[in-house]
Amino acid sequence: MKQRTLVVVSAGLSQPSSTRLLADQLSAAAVTAAAERGIELHVRTIELRDLAHDIMNHLLTGFPPVALKDALDAVAGADGLIAVSPIFTASYSGLFKSFFDVVDKDALADKPVLIAATAGTARHSLALEHALRPLFGYLRAVVVPTSVFAAGDDWGADSSDGFLQTRIVRGATELATEIDRREPATVADPFALTVSFDDLLK
């Protein structure tokens, strides 16, 4: 099987959180959809609440602490990304935005991304289209057509086979298809020599 990496960014603030629950369901569906295409997805989940202080320090100093640098490198090197934010005041959370503010401007170019969000009521669902999708469009990511929103009512007894599950499978399938269409992601080494020592001595 082909080997690919999937990074899941979850911006939930509580533990446990519905944001992380949705993130886990999306990643599980993506693994299944990828396996059907002969791809073994290696999943890494990044909880932004654990990096909140590091993100702020990076914004203030311009230098990422070790744990944040590792997370940023994982995002840059991923073959696909799932990004899930709670909705606060009709938009993504400040923590979610701050993390993507410190992601390298070229890290998401042509990278397949599945966006998702959680909130208390369905009236916040349009935030996916007027906030999250434009953000990743600006970063030149390839955002799959289906976005996934989960309100509080979606986590009831019928959630396993209801509308939410349908959108989870559809979005994950679109993400797996985009990952399958691309060569494995590569990250350029900024310290790598682009010319030989011999050429430098000429």
Side-chain angles (χ1 to χ4, degrees), residues 93-135:
S93 71
L95 178 60
F96 183 85
K97 178 60 162 59
S98 295
F99 176 75
F100 286 100
D101 281 344
V102 298
V103 169
D104 185 88
K105 63 181 180 63
D106 298 319
L108 299 185
D110 197 43
K111 193 182 300 294
V113 176
L114 170 58
I115 57 173
T118 59
T121 66
R123 63 193 178 95
H124 295 293
S125 60
L126 287 178
L128 281 163
E129 302 306 319
H130 70 64
L132 274 79
R133 194 176 294 275
L135 169 65

mmCIF file of all heavy atoms in Angstrom, residues 93-135:
data_model
loop_
_atom_site.group_PDB
_atom_site.id
_atom_site.type_symbol
_atom_site.label_atom_id
_atom_site.label_comp_id
_atom_site.label_asym_id
_atom_site.label_seq_id
_atom_site.Cartn_x
_atom_site.Cartn_y
_atom_site.Cartn_z
ATOM 1 N N SER A 93 -12.195 30.066 16.309
ATOM 2 C CA SER A 93 -11.660 30.553 17.577
ATOM 3 C C SER A 93 -10.360 31.320 17.363
ATOM 4 O O SER A 93 -9.657 31.143 16.363
ATOM 5 C CB SER A 93 -11.414 29.383 18.535
ATOM 6 O OG SER A 93 -10.311 28.604 18.099
ATOM 7 N N GLY A 94 -10.033 32.172 18.339
ATOM 8 C CA GLY A 94 -8.780 32.918 18.261
ATOM 9 C C GLY A 94 -7.570 32.009 18.276
ATOM 10 O O GLY A 94 -6.562 32.268 17.608
ATOM 11 N N LEU A 95 -7.640 30.912 19.030
ATOM 12 C CA LEU A 95 -6.526 29.963 19.093
ATOM 13 C C LEU A 95 -6.304 29.311 17.734
ATOM 14 O O LEU A 95 -5.156 29.160 17.287
ATOM 15 C CB LEU A 95 -6.813 28.906 20.152
ATOM 16 C CG LEU A 95 -5.770 27.805 20.333
ATOM 17 C CD1 LEU A 95 -4.423 28.400 20.731
ATOM 18 C CD2 LEU A 95 -6.241 26.795 21.390
ATOM 19 N N PHE A 96 -7.384 28.940 17.075
ATOM 20 C CA PHE A 96 -7.308 28.334 15.741
ATOM 21 C C PHE A 96 -6.644 29.303 14.763
ATOM 22 O O PHE A 96 -5.709 28.944 14.048
ATOM 23 C CB PHE A 96 -8.726 27.995 15.284
ATOM 24 C CG PHE A 96 -8.824 27.289 13.955
ATOM 25 C CD1 PHE A 96 -8.703 25.907 13.878
ATOM 26 C CD2 PHE A 96 -9.072 27.993 12.786
ATOM 27 C CE1 PHE A 96 -8.822 25.245 12.663
ATOM 28 C CE2 PHE A 96 -9.187 27.346 11.568
ATOM 29 C CZ PHE A 96 -9.054 25.968 11.509
ATOM 30 N N LYS A 97 -7.112 30.550 14.748
ATOM 31 C CA LYS A 97 -6.548 31.551 13.829
ATOM 32 C C LYS A 97 -5.087 31.836 14.150
ATOM 33 O O LYS A 97 -4.247 31.959 13.248
ATOM 34 C CB LYS A 97 -7.362 32.841 13.914
ATOM 35 C CG LYS A 97 -6.837 33.972 13.024
ATOM 36 C CD LYS A 97 -6.843 33.593 11.557
ATOM 37 C CE LYS A 97 -6.750 34.810 10.650
ATOM 38 N NZ LYS A 97 -5.550 35.635 10.866
ATOM 39 N N SER A 98 -4.765 31.921 15.443
ATOM 40 C CA SER A 98 -3.381 32.226 15.827
ATOM 41 C C SER A 98 -2.427 31.135 15.359
ATOM 42 O O SER A 98 -1.296 31.425 14.944
ATOM 43 C CB SER A 98 -3.280 32.392 17.345
ATOM 44 O OG SER A 98 -4.015 33.522 17.768
ATOM 45 N N PHE A 99 -2.859 29.865 15.425
ATOM 46 C CA PHE A 99 -1.994 28.792 14.952
ATOM 47 C C PHE A 99 -1.720 28.940 13.465
ATOM 48 O O PHE A 99 -0.555 28.853 13.025
ATOM 49 C CB PHE A 99 -2.620 27.431 15.239
ATOM 50 C CG PHE A 99 -1.820 26.271 14.702
ATOM 51 C CD1 PHE A 99 -0.658 25.870 15.327
ATOM 52 C CD2 PHE A 99 -2.223 25.599 13.556
ATOM 53 C CE1 PHE A 99 0.103 24.813 14.830
ATOM 54 C CE2 PHE A 99 -1.482 24.532 13.053
ATOM 55 C CZ PHE A 99 -0.317 24.142 13.693
ATOM 56 N N PHE A 100 -2.747 29.175 12.674
ATOM 57 C CA PHE A 100 -2.526 29.288 11.240
ATOM 58 C C PHE A 100 -1.858 30.607 10.857
ATOM 59 O O PHE A 100 -1.308 30.726 9.761
ATOM 60 C CB PHE A 100 -3.825 29.048 10.483
ATOM 61 C CG PHE A 100 -4.210 27.591 10.472
ATOM 62 C CD1 PHE A 100 -5.172 27.095 11.345
ATOM 63 C CD2 PHE A 100 -3.548 26.695 9.643
ATOM 64 C CE1 PHE A 100 -5.490 25.746 11.365
ATOM 65 C CE2 PHE A 100 -3.849 25.341 9.658
ATOM 66 C CZ PHE A 100 -4.826 24.863 10.522
ATOM 67 N N ASP A 101 -1.844 31.570 11.773
ATOM 68 C CA ASP A 101 -1.061 32.786 11.553
ATOM 69 C C ASP A 101 0.435 32.498 11.588
ATOM 70 O O ASP A 101 1.217 33.222 10.959
ATOM 71 C CB ASP A 101 -1.389 33.839 12.613
ATOM 72 C CG ASP A 101 -2.682 34.578 12.329
ATOM 73 O OD1 ASP A 101 -3.184 34.507 11.188
ATOM 74 O OD2 ASP A 101 -3.204 35.244 13.249
ATOM 75 N N VAL A 102 0.847 31.468 12.331
ATOM 76 C CA VAL A 102 2.280 31.172 12.427
ATOM 77 C C VAL A 102 2.698 30.012 11.522
ATOM 78 O O VAL A 102 3.877 29.659 11.473
ATOM 79 C CB VAL A 102 2.700 30.886 13.888
ATOM 80 C CG1 VAL A 102 2.457 32.105 14.754
ATOM 81 C CG2 VAL A 102 1.990 29.670 14.459
ATOM 82 N N VAL A 103 1.746 29.415 10.800
ATOM 83 C CA VAL A 103 2.100 28.418 9.781
ATOM 84 C C VAL A 103 2.763 29.143 8.617
ATOM 85 O O VAL A 103 2.311 30.225 8.204
ATOM 86 C CB VAL A 103 0.844 27.661 9.304
ATOM 87 C CG1 VAL A 103 1.138 26.817 8.066
ATOM 88 C CG2 VAL A 103 0.310 26.775 10.427
ATOM 89 N N ASP A 104 3.834 28.590 8.083
ATOM 90 C CA ASP A 104 4.525 29.211 6.950
ATOM 91 C C ASP A 104 3.559 29.483 5.805
ATOM 92 O O ASP A 104 2.680 28.675 5.517
ATOM 93 C CB ASP A 104 5.655 28.289 6.466
ATOM 94 C CG ASP A 104 6.480 28.936 5.368
ATOM 95 O OD1 ASP A 104 7.442 29.642 5.681
ATOM 96 O OD2 ASP A 104 6.127 28.736 4.179
ATOM 97 N N LYS A 105 3.726 30.622 5.155
ATOM 98 C CA LYS A 105 2.774 31.065 4.129
ATOM 99 C C LYS A 105 2.682 30.103 2.949
ATOM 100 O O LYS A 105 1.675 30.105 2.236
ATOM 101 C CB LYS A 105 3.157 32.458 3.627
ATOM 102 C CG LYS A 105 4.521 32.525 2.947
ATOM 103 C CD LYS A 105 4.852 33.938 2.503
ATOM 104 C CE LYS A 105 6.213 34.018 1.834
ATOM 105 N NZ LYS A 105 6.290 33.226 0.603
ATOM 106 N N ASP A 106 3.697 29.278 2.731
ATOM 107 C CA ASP A 106 3.680 28.339 1.611
ATOM 108 C C ASP A 106 3.393 26.896 2.044
ATOM 109 O O ASP A 106 3.324 26.007 1.188
ATOM 110 C CB ASP A 106 5.022 28.373 0.877
ATOM 111 C CG ASP A 106 5.315 29.742 0.275
ATOM 112 O OD1 ASP A 106 4.366 30.355 -0.267
ATOM 113 O OD2 ASP A 106 6.464 30.202 0.361
ATOM 114 N N ALA A 107 3.214 26.663 3.335
ATOM 115 C CA ALA A 107 3.121 25.290 3.849
ATOM 116 C C ALA A 107 1.878 24.561 3.358
ATOM 117 O O ALA A 107 1.886 23.334 3.225
ATOM 118 C CB ALA A 107 3.147 25.297 5.371
ATOM 119 N N LEU A 108 0.794 25.295 3.084
ATOM 120 C CA LEU A 108 -0.451 24.640 2.703
ATOM 121 C C LEU A 108 -0.752 24.744 1.212
ATOM 122 O O LEU A 108 -1.817 24.303 0.768
ATOM 123 C CB LEU A 108 -1.623 25.238 3.491
ATOM 124 C CG LEU A 108 -1.570 25.096 5.010
ATOM 125 C CD1 LEU A 108 -2.843 25.629 5.640
ATOM 126 C CD2 LEU A 108 -1.345 23.654 5.424
ATOM 127 N N ALA A 109 0.164 25.291 0.442
ATOM 128 C CA ALA A 109 -0.082 25.450 -0.989
ATOM 129 C C ALA A 109 -0.330 24.097 -1.648
ATOM 130 O O ALA A 109 0.475 23.179 -1.521
ATOM 131 C CB ALA A 109 1.104 26.149 -1.652
ATOM 132 N N ASP A 110 -1.482 23.953 -2.305
ATOM 133 C CA ASP A 110 -1.898 22.736 -2.999
ATOM 134 C C ASP A 110 -2.076 21.536 -2.075
ATOM 135 O O ASP A 110 -2.106 20.401 -2.531
ATOM 136 C CB ASP A 110 -0.918 22.383 -4.128
ATOM 137 C CG ASP A 110 -1.534 21.398 -5.117
ATOM 138 O OD1 ASP A 110 -2.710 21.577 -5.486
ATOM 139 O OD2 ASP A 110 -0.860 20.424 -5.504
ATOM 140 N N LYS A 111 -2.213 21.789 -0.774
ATOM 141 C CA LYS A 111 -2.417 20.681 0.165
ATOM 142 C C LYS A 111 -3.919 20.458 0.361
ATOM 143 O O LYS A 111 -4.656 21.402 0.646
ATOM 144 C CB LYS A 111 -1.752 20.983 1.499
ATOM 145 C CG LYS A 111 -1.644 19.761 2.418
ATOM 146 C CD LYS A 111 -1.021 20.123 3.752
ATOM 147 C CE LYS A 111 0.374 20.681 3.627
ATOM 148 N NZ LYS A 111 1.354 19.696 3.123
ATOM 149 N N PRO A 112 -4.410 19.221 0.228
ATOM 150 C CA PRO A 112 -5.832 18.957 0.453
ATOM 151 C C PRO A 112 -6.214 19.178 1.916
ATOM 152 O O PRO A 112 -5.530 18.691 2.819
ATOM 153 C CB PRO A 112 -5.995 17.482 0.065
ATOM 154 C CG PRO A 112 -4.784 17.147 -0.740
ATOM 155 C CD PRO A 112 -3.690 18.018 -0.221
ATOM 156 N N VAL A 113 -7.306 19.902 2.117
ATOM 157 C CA VAL A 113 -7.754 20.223 3.468
ATOM 158 C C VAL A 113 -9.259 19.975 3.580
ATOM 159 O O VAL A 113 -10.034 20.389 2.709
ATOM 160 C CB VAL A 113 -7.449 21.694 3.833
ATOM 161 C CG1 VAL A 113 -8.013 22.034 5.217
ATOM 162 C CG2 VAL A 113 -5.955 21.963 3.791
ATOM 163 N N LEU A 114 -9.643 19.314 4.646
ATOM 164 C CA LEU A 114 -11.048 19.146 5.003
ATOM 165 C C LEU A 114 -11.315 20.030 6.208
ATOM 166 O O LEU A 114 -10.648 19.902 7.235
ATOM 167 C CB LEU A 114 -11.335 17.681 5.345
ATOM 168 C CG LEU A 114 -12.691 17.346 5.972
ATOM 169 C CD1 LEU A 114 -13.850 17.790 5.092
ATOM 170 C CD2 LEU A 114 -12.780 15.846 6.278
ATOM 171 N N ILE A 115 -12.277 20.955 6.079
ATOM 172 C CA ILE A 115 -12.585 21.873 7.174
ATOM 173 C C ILE A 115 -13.843 21.413 7.899
ATOM 174 O O ILE A 115 -14.768 20.867 7.291
ATOM 175 C CB ILE A 115 -12.743 23.324 6.686
ATOM 176 C CG1 ILE A 115 -13.825 23.428 5.605
ATOM 177 C CG2 ILE A 115 -11.409 23.865 6.196
ATOM 178 C CD1 ILE A 115 -14.154 24.863 5.192
ATOM 179 N N ALA A 116 -13.859 21.650 9.206
ATOM 180 C CA ALA A 116 -14.999 21.246 10.016
ATOM 181 C C ALA A 116 -15.108 22.168 11.220
ATOM 182 O O ALA A 116 -14.141 22.849 11.593
ATOM 183 C CB ALA A 116 -14.855 19.790 10.460
ATOM 184 N N ALA A 117 -16.287 22.193 11.821
ATOM 185 C CA ALA A 117 -16.506 23.074 12.965
ATOM 186 C C ALA A 117 -17.593 22.515 13.866
ATOM 187 O O ALA A 117 -18.424 21.695 13.442
ATOM 188 C CB ALA A 117 -16.887 24.477 12.484
ATOM 189 N N THR A 118 -17.586 22.968 15.107
ATOM 190 C CA THR A 118 -18.613 22.597 16.076
ATOM 191 C C THR A 118 -19.153 23.855 16.734
ATOM 192 O O THR A 118 -18.454 24.876 16.849
ATOM 193 C CB THR A 118 -18.046 21.671 17.174
ATOM 194 O OG1 THR A 118 -16.966 22.361 17.845
ATOM 195 C CG2 THR A 118 -17.525 20.375 16.590
ATOM 196 N N ALA A 119 -20.404 23.787 17.161
ATOM 197 C CA ALA A 119 -21.027 24.893 17.900
ATOM 198 C C ALA A 119 -22.266 24.368 18.586
ATOM 199 O O ALA A 119 -22.708 23.232 18.348
ATOM 200 C CB ALA A 119 -21.376 26.048 16.957
ATOM 201 N N GLY A 120 -22.848 25.210 19.428
ATOM 202 C CA GLY A 120 -24.015 24.781 20.172
ATOM 203 C C GLY A 120 -25.257 24.613 19.319
ATOM 204 O O GLY A 120 -26.061 23.708 19.564
ATOM 205 N N THR A 121 -25.414 25.470 18.313
ATOM 206 C CA THR A 121 -26.612 25.415 17.473
ATOM 207 C C THR A 121 -26.234 25.484 16.000
ATOM 208 O O THR A 121 -25.168 25.989 15.635
ATOM 209 C CB THR A 121 -27.573 26.584 17.774
ATOM 210 O OG1 THR A 121 -26.952 27.825 17.387
ATOM 211 C CG2 THR A 121 -27.921 26.645 19.247
ATOM 212 N N ALA A 122 -27.141 25.016 15.160
ATOM 213 C CA ALA A 122 -26.884 24.954 13.721
ATOM 214 C C ALA A 122 -26.810 26.328 13.076
ATOM 215 O O ALA A 122 -26.329 26.454 11.946
ATOM 216 C CB ALA A 122 -27.970 24.120 13.046
ATOM 217 N N ARG A 123 -27.264 27.379 13.754
ATOM 218 C CA ARG A 123 -27.236 28.701 13.131
ATOM 219 C C ARG A 123 -25.818 29.216 12.907
ATOM 220 O O ARG A 123 -25.627 30.206 12.209
ATOM 221 C CB ARG A 123 -28.041 29.706 13.964
ATOM 222 C CG ARG A 123 -27.509 29.963 15.347
ATOM 223 C CD ARG A 123 -28.535 30.713 16.193
ATOM 224 N NE ARG A 123 -28.072 30.928 17.550
ATOM 225 C CZ ARG A 123 -27.478 32.039 17.956
ATOM 226 N NH1 ARG A 123 -27.270 33.030 17.100
ATOM 227 N NH2 ARG A 123 -27.098 32.172 19.208
ATOM 228 N N HIS A 124 -24.832 28.540 13.493
ATOM 229 C CA HIS A 124 -23.433 28.937 13.278
ATOM 230 C C HIS A 124 -22.777 28.211 12.097
ATOM 231 O O HIS A 124 -21.599 28.423 11.818
ATOM 232 C CB HIS A 124 -22.616 28.655 14.532
ATOM 233 C CG HIS A 124 -23.017 29.463 15.720
ATOM 234 N ND1 HIS A 124 -22.845 30.831 15.779
ATOM 235 C CD2 HIS A 124 -23.595 29.104 16.897
ATOM 236 C CE1 HIS A 124 -23.286 31.281 16.947
ATOM 237 N NE2 HIS A 124 -23.754 30.249 17.634
ATOM 238 N N SER A 125 -23.514 27.365 11.410
ATOM 239 C CA SER A 125 -22.904 26.503 10.394
ATOM 240 C C SER A 125 -22.305 27.287 9.227
ATOM 241 O O SER A 125 -21.340 26.832 8.611
ATOM 242 C CB SER A 125 -23.925 25.492 9.870
ATOM 243 O OG SER A 125 -25.029 26.159 9.282
ATOM 244 N N LEU A 126 -22.846 28.458 8.924
ATOM 245 C CA LEU A 126 -22.324 29.228 7.791
ATOM 246 C C LEU A 126 -20.914 29.768 8.037
ATOM 247 O O LEU A 126 -20.253 30.218 7.116
ATOM 248 C CB LEU A 126 -23.272 30.385 7.453
ATOM 249 C CG LEU A 126 -24.578 29.989 6.762
ATOM 250 C CD1 LEU A 126 -25.445 31.222 6.537
ATOM 251 C CD2 LEU A 126 -24.302 29.291 5.441
ATOM 252 N N ALA A 127 -20.450 29.703 9.283
ATOM 253 C CA ALA A 127 -19.083 30.143 9.564
ATOM 254 C C ALA A 127 -18.058 29.338 8.774
ATOM 255 O O ALA A 127 -16.967 29.831 8.462
ATOM 256 C CB ALA A 127 -18.800 30.037 11.056
ATOM 257 N N LEU A 128 -18.392 28.097 8.446
ATOM 258 C CA LEU A 128 -17.481 27.292 7.627
ATOM 259 C C LEU A 128 -17.222 27.946 6.278
ATOM 260 O O LEU A 128 -16.092 27.943 5.773
ATOM 261 C CB LEU A 128 -18.062 25.893 7.415
ATOM 262 C CG LEU A 128 -17.893 24.911 8.577
ATOM 263 C CD1 LEU A 128 -18.840 23.741 8.416
ATOM 264 C CD2 LEU A 128 -16.452 24.430 8.663
ATOM 265 N N GLU A 129 -18.272 28.531 5.705
ATOM 266 C CA GLU A 129 -18.145 29.087 4.359
ATOM 267 C C GLU A 129 -17.672 30.541 4.362
ATOM 268 O O GLU A 129 -16.979 30.958 3.441
ATOM 269 C CB GLU A 129 -19.491 28.977 3.629
ATOM 270 C CG GLU A 129 -20.012 27.548 3.528
ATOM 271 C CD GLU A 129 -18.990 26.604 2.896
ATOM 272 O OE1 GLU A 129 -18.313 26.985 1.924
ATOM 273 O OE2 GLU A 129 -18.865 25.460 3.392
ATOM 274 N N HIS A 130 -18.041 31.309 5.394
ATOM 275 C CA HIS A 130 -17.620 32.717 5.364
ATOM 276 C C HIS A 130 -16.372 32.999 6.197
ATOM 277 O O HIS A 130 -15.846 34.109 6.169
ATOM 278 C CB HIS A 130 -18.765 33.652 5.780
ATOM 279 C CG HIS A 130 -19.158 33.598 7.234
ATOM 280 N ND1 HIS A 130 -18.314 33.958 8.256
ATOM 281 C CD2 HIS A 130 -20.325 33.245 7.829
ATOM 282 C CE1 HIS A 130 -18.928 33.841 9.414
ATOM 283 N NE2 HIS A 130 -20.143 33.387 9.188
ATOM 284 N N ALA A 131 -15.875 31.993 6.938
ATOM 285 C CA ALA A 131 -14.669 32.201 7.742
ATOM 286 C C ALA A 131 -13.579 31.175 7.423
ATOM 287 O O ALA A 131 -12.487 31.533 6.985
ATOM 288 C CB ALA A 131 -15.013 32.160 9.232
ATOM 289 N N LEU A 132 -13.864 29.879 7.634
ATOM 290 C CA LEU A 132 -12.811 28.875 7.459
ATOM 291 C C LEU A 132 -12.400 28.700 6.000
ATOM 292 O O LEU A 132 -11.204 28.679 5.689
ATOM 293 C CB LEU A 132 -13.243 27.527 8.045
ATOM 294 C CG LEU A 132 -12.965 27.340 9.538
ATOM 295 C CD1 LEU A 132 -14.020 28.054 10.377
ATOM 296 C CD2 LEU A 132 -12.895 25.875 9.918
ATOM 297 N N ARG A 133 -13.368 28.586 5.102
ATOM 298 C CA ARG A 133 -13.004 28.346 3.705
ATOM 299 C C ARG A 133 -12.165 29.494 3.114
ATOM 300 O O ARG A 133 -11.146 29.244 2.448
ATOM 301 C CB ARG A 133 -14.250 28.067 2.856
ATOM 302 C CG ARG A 133 -13.916 27.482 1.479
ATOM 303 C CD ARG A 133 -15.175 27.119 0.698
ATOM 304 N NE ARG A 133 -15.918 26.030 1.322
ATOM 305 C CZ ARG A 133 -15.660 24.744 1.117
ATOM 306 N NH1 ARG A 133 -14.668 24.385 0.319
ATOM 307 N NH2 ARG A 133 -16.395 23.811 1.706
ATOM 308 N N PRO A 134 -12.533 30.754 3.343
ATOM 309 C CA PRO A 134 -11.680 31.840 2.843
ATOM 310 C C PRO A 134 -10.273 31.839 3.452
ATOM 311 O O PRO A 134 -9.308 32.189 2.769
ATOM 312 C CB PRO A 134 -12.457 33.105 3.228
ATOM 313 C CG PRO A 134 -13.873 32.665 3.317
ATOM 314 C CD PRO A 134 -13.807 31.274 3.871
ATOM 315 N N LEU A 135 -10.171 31.470 4.735
ATOM 316 C CA LEU A 135 -8.852 31.418 5.371
ATOM 317 C C LEU A 135 -7.929 30.457 4.636
ATOM 318 O O LEU A 135 -6.787 30.797 4.291
ATOM 319 C CB LEU A 135 -9.001 30.990 6.837
ATOM 320 C CG LEU A 135 -7.699 30.637 7.579
ATOM 321 C CD1 LEU A 135 -6.806 31.855 7.704
ATOM 322 C CD2 LEU A 135 -8.012 30.050 8.960
#
